Amino acid sequence: MTDQRFNPLAADKRWQKRWAESRVFEADDASSKPRSYVLEMFPYPSGRIHMGHVRNYTMGDVLARFRRMQGFEVLHPMGWDAFGMPAENAAMEKKVHPGEWTRANIASMRSQLKTLGFAFDWSRELATCDPEYYGQEQALFIDLFEGGLVYRKESAVNWDPVDMTVLANEQVIDGKGWRSGAQVEKRKLSQWFLKITDFAEDLLAGLGDLKGWPEKVRLMQENWIGKSQGLQFHFPLAEAQGDIASVEVFSTRPDTIFGASFVALAADHPLTQTLAGQNEALAAFAEQCKAGGTTAAELETMEKKGFDTGLTVTHPLDPDWQLPVYVANFVLMDYGTGAVFGVPAHDQRDLDFARKYDLPVKRVVSDGEETAADYASNEAYTGPGKIVNSAFLDGMTVEAAQQTVIDRAQSEGWGKAQTTWRLRDWGVSRQRYWGTPIPIIHCDDCGPVPVPKEQLPVVLPEDIDFETPGNPLERHATWKHIDCPKCSKAARRETDTLDTFVDSSWYFLRFASQPDDRPFDPEVVKQWLPVTQYIGGVEHAILHLLYARFWTRALASIGKLDFAEPFESLFTQGMVTHETYKHGDGSWLSPDEVEKNGADWAVISDGSPVTTGRVEKMSKSKKNVVDPDPIIEQYGADAVRFFMLSDSPPERDLPWSEAGIEGSWRFVQRLWRLFIAVTDSSDEGEDKTLRRKLHQTVAGVAADIEALSFNKAVAKVFELVNLIEKSQPSGDRTAAIKSLARIVAPMVPHIAEEAWALFGENDLVANASWPKVDESLLVDDEVTIAIQVRGKLRDTITVAKGSNKEHLEELALASEKVQRSLDGAEIKKVIVVPDRLVNIVI
RNA sequence: GCGGACGUGGCGAAAUGGUAGACGCAGCAGACUUAAAAUCUGCUAUCCGAAAUGGGUGUGCGGGUUCGAGUCCCGCCGUCCGCACCA
């Protein structure tokens, strides 16, 4: 006798074991089937999986299982983005080695993921902290180095002057170091860069072909790359300073050149440094500009400060016009030429600066009304218009004036048209231990020399200490000392490690192919790549995805790959959120510390009142985190998976709720009641309505899963289940229930396997094919048509599908309700949309 | 500051420019039960109305295009995400 209740505790484990033993989800490189590579962004092994992971991997799993049922050879791997700062923090706080901590986390997260029954090919599992992985990454880095795509230059980092260490942006809180509390400074270090800007044009152009990517991500990347065309030109200095005779600037608005009122230099501009040598006040100001961190948000919101150097430059179009030269804290040496000219009337930042230092503000673009040179507003005008107060440019449009100025600059030889990019080269040096060692040896005579490939991997030393802040590799007694591979003299290893974004820029290649002796086999990679569907958080929309696109192109450019785009389709999922709870004293409370008391919430322990706050992203600080483990244990993997797919569209946030998971649990039990009833149910008799609904559901759910609209797929499953429950026993009903097991198999695979076995099938439902659709059953033969009068619904009629316009108009006008509504008014027009509606215009 | 998105019942939402609110949650009423749970049946945007297979209103706010707008366009407001060393 079959259990009346589905027991996930036993069933989940049983089927997970069966799947593992039969190795059904291991991808076959030699398969002759069409390929599908389904990939979710691999997790950072923080210690425990969270609901966001559960949601992400459930979505990918549904697609992977569905594609298998549709006859694809599916690659659906899992691994660990295992390098990064949290491991070093743990080392400092808990006195545990970062590697040990990371590996323990991986072990526990792996077993957590396994309880959810994901169809992963675990045979391909990798962790980026394995020497087998990062050693191959070092080989790729050397390839890029030899391909001329790697170089070294000075770049600013956040420096904590007390701890004497480099800080990540995340470690800078309100401009202060998170541990020391000291005011953070910018400090220049010599660092390794990858030439992503060489690919700027190509990365931009490639976006156009990424049809499977969300429009918003493509737009964000486009803006990030930030192609702008403008004029690069020089302002001659009234008096040359040493060997510097002019200031080179770049502007995207050369049309406003007659509105210029000052030139501003970066604090670390060569001219600033020359002048600071003779001017103590300026030197002090330049020093002051080092205060603060390096983030864009910080730089752009800080108070704009300047220092008048006393120098002047000559306007290129008017030899009698002298402009003052300032040093300003908002001008960055890293962007453009490290110097700008300010046009206060048409740039907000310049306007703020001009008002502060009492500089002229001259209107040169008219908004269509005001044309006077005098500009009174404190809001810059950045819109389109006609040029005014600008000599030979007057009356031109902004675009025409830009071209005119560029042409003139080029013919007169003081400037040239220039394309610049917002995108900067990728700085990959990190002054940290827990990352991939950069495989370079510094030799006094030979310069930077790559580690010979046969000496790879350059392995991280195990004996390190985190007692002192800073990079343990730098302090290690012996590790960095090595002889130069070229000249054999004493030399030093590079002690910086690679940005973890490098690790995640090629893991999808290593999943596809992982030979021992090289990063990947291009022939095998070619079978799987590009990734058919990539799924992950929208927070990766720019950096990770752009870096991965770059890395793929870079490898292609040196002949290691023969495709440019790694991800054919991309889906960015929403976050899992939860209501927040606050105690009277202002402290946050976790969901398991509170209970609902009538309409109000109270603390369980002492009954004191609780205010409920906004529904927001689960975070430790707000304490609104729900740990998946106990939930899976209580309700089973299928209920949790089903909840993750229900209700909220996958790209939007999903509010976690106890009631929601209860509902999913009840649904799983509803399915079970249908499944167990099949064994003693009828094979006789027809039910055309149900059969039609079944086929519509099979087709509809398939389309929804394909589009990753899981919430819609779930709604269609509900409709089918509702109808089956209401239907009388029949052959069609029995068939519908049997098909239902396959329809829900990608979503709730454990109960589906259980049902499949119950139906007497010997093979796994994981190996079953998706039900066939009878196309003729997809269309109804009757349709309900709306009848509107002046766009307002007045009646509905049911007619045969495909009824002609004249007939529909006749029926509409015959309607009593329509006549009442018309009330004898004159009919001007009748709009008839067949199978849809009739609209009577009066 | 810059860039991007989102905004529909009590809640999550659905809706090729064509009947707004499918489906789920919560709630209410009822059935079953000694009782509870589970399950089943019905109702559930809002206002007017005793009710109606009555009518009005309604998709953040203000305009516009259209026979017809949640959907398209313009301008606001609000919320969230990203900003290059968090992953």
Side-chain angles (χ1 to χ4, degrees), chain A residues 302-325:
Chain A
M302 74 186 172
E303 197 194 346
K304 310 292 183 284
K305 287 183 192 162
F307 184 96
D308 188 350
T309 62
L311 299 184
T312 59
V313 290
T314 308
H315 195 282
L317 290 165
D318 183 353
D320 298 327
W321 185 355
Q322 298 290 307
L323 293 111
V325 177

Side-chain angles (χ1 to χ4, degrees), chain A residues 729-752:
Chain A
S730 69
D732 281 319
R733 187 174 187 272
T734 304
I737 294 172
K738 287 188 173 174
S739 293
L740 179 63
R742 281 187 288 164
I743 294 170
V744 298
M747 307 179 191
V748 286
H750 305 87
I751 193 173

Side-chain angles (χ1 to χ4, degrees), chain A residues 126-141:
Chain A
L126 58 82
T128 57
C129 64
D130 294 338
E132 296 76 36
Y133 184 85
Y134 71 71
Q136 299 300 342
E137 183 167 308
Q138 290 166 337
L140 291 174
F141 182 88

Side-chain angles (χ1 to χ4, degrees), chain A residues 605-724:
Chain A
S605 58
D606 61 7
S608 58
V610 169
T611 45
T612 54
R614 282 222 329 265
V615 176
E616 51 189 309
K617 180 181 181 173
M618 288 187 179
S619 75
K620 279 183 191 161
S621 62
K622 300 276 171 63
K623 284 188 143 186
N624 59 339
V625 177
V626 175
D627 183 16
D629 253 11
I631 306 279
I632 298 164
E633 204 168 312
Q634 186 179 352
Y635 297 101
D638 289 343
V640 175
R641 294 167 59 112
F642 195 75
F643 179 73
M644 288 292 144
L645 302 167
S646 308
D647 292 354
S648 288
E651 68 278 10
R652 236 182 273 181
D653 289 350
L654 169 72
W656 174 267
S657 76
E658 195 68 21
I661 184 68
E662 290 275 355
S664 295
W665 161 256
R666 283 197 300 269
F667 177 73
V668 169
Q669 296 301 337
R670 262 173 89 188
L671 282 177
W672 187 242
R673 285 193 294 274
L674 287 179
F675 291 148
I676 57 176
V678 158
T679 39
D680 45 50
S681 146
S682 166
D683 286 338
E684 301 290 312
E686 285 203 330
D687 185 335
K688 282 185 179 160
T689 310
L690 181 57
R691 194 194 311 163
R692 193 178 285 277
K693 185 73 179 175
L694 172 66
H695 283 264
Q696 288 172 345
T697 305
V698 170
V701 169
D704 287 337
I705 291 177
E706 203 66 62
L708 306 181
S709 298
F710 304 111
N711 57 322
K712 294 190 218 166
V714 164
K716 288 189 174 81
V717 168
F718 268 112
E719 286 186 33
L720 176 63
V721 168
N722 287 344
L723 189 62
I724 294 174

Side-chain angles (χ1 to χ4, degrees), chain A residues 13 16 47-49 78 80 103-118 120 122 125 629 632:
Chain A
K13 285 209 180 60
Q16 286 158 16
R48 313 275 304 160
I49 61 164
M78 176 47 65
W80 311 94
R103 279 171 227 288
N105 287 347
I106 288 174
S108 72
M109 288 173 78
R110 182 193 300 115
S111 69
Q112 281 187 296
L113 286 181
K114 289 193 173 180
T115 64
L116 282 154
F118 295 132
F120 289 132
W122 285 104
E125 180 185 2
D629 253 11
I632 298 164

Side-chain angles (χ1 to χ4, degrees), chain A residues 370-419:
Chain A
E370 289 291 329
T371 55
D374 184 44
Y375 197 89
S377 169
N378 280 323
E379 218 163 288
Y381 179 73
T382 55
K386 290 270 193 287
I387 304 295
V388 292
N389 309 312
S390 297
F392 61 94
L393 300 176
D394 284 355
M396 292 184 189
T397 62
V398 165
E399 293 72 27
Q402 285 177 359
Q403 199 51 54
T404 305
V405 173
I406 289 170
D407 290 347
R408 178 126 170 193
Q410 299 197 133
S411 68
E412 293 179 359
W414 48 270
K416 60 178 198 295
Q418 178 85 20
T419 300

Side-chain angles (χ1 to χ4, degrees), chain A residues 113-316:
Chain A
L113 286 181
K114 289 193 173 180
T115 64
L116 282 154
F118 295 132
F120 289 132
D121 178 351
W122 285 104
S123 73
R124 296 173 188 243
E125 180 185 2
L126 58 82
T128 57
C129 64
D130 294 338
E132 296 76 36
Y133 184 85
Y134 71 71
Q136 299 300 342
E137 183 167 308
Q138 290 166 337
L140 291 174
F141 182 88
I142 290 167
D143 290 338
L144 295 180
F145 179 89
E146 287 169 348
L149 293 170
V150 180
Y151 68 101
R152 208 159 159 74
K153 75 166 177 186
E154 292 244 301
S155 171
V157 293
N158 302 305
W159 179 256
D160 184 323
V162 171
D163 277 355
M164 304 288 282
T165 180
V166 176
L167 298 178
N169 284 336
E170 193 189 49
Q171 298 171 315
V172 179
I173 317 284
D174 295 329
K176 299 191 169 63
W178 66 336
R179 284 176 201 282
S180 69
Q183 184 74 42
V184 169
E185 298 169 1
K186 289 188 260 298
R187 168 177 277 223
K188 293 243 165 174
L189 288 182
S190 186
Q191 308 199 65
W192 291 103
F193 281 80
L194 299 185
K195 284 190 184 169
I196 189 171
T197 54
D198 278 11
F199 297 81
E201 189 79 67
D202 199 30
L203 286 166
L204 182 65
L207 291 172
D209 301 326
L210 294 175
K211 303 276 185 269
W213 282 43
E215 187 59 39
K216 64 167 175 177
V217 175
R218 288 193 279 167
L219 193 58
M220 279 192 262
Q221 291 217 350
E222 186 181 326
N223 290 332
W224 186 263
I225 294 168
K227 181 176 186 172
S228 57
Q229 325 243 16
L231 175 66
Q232 183 164 329
F233 66 99
H234 58 266
F235 282 102
L237 279 165
E239 290 172 48
Q241 302 294 313
D243 50 1
I244 303 174
S246 65
V247 178
E248 191 82 11
V249 297
F250 171 79
S251 172
T252 55
R253 294 293 304 273
D255 53 303
T256 62
I257 194 163
F258 285 99
S261 73
F262 62 92
V263 167
L265 309 173
D268 42 358
H269 191 277
L271 178 55
T272 307
Q273 292 182 333
T274 303
L275 294 171
Q278 314 133 27
N279 184 336
E280 264 178 50
L282 176 55
F285 179 78
E287 191 60 30
Q288 211 191 319
C289 288
K290 287 187 187 166
T294 57
T295 70
E298 202 178 334
L299 293 171
E300 283 164 35
T301 52
M302 74 186 172
E303 197 194 346
K304 310 292 183 284
K305 287 183 192 162
F307 184 96
D308 188 350
T309 62
L311 299 184
T312 59
V313 290
T314 308
H315 195 282

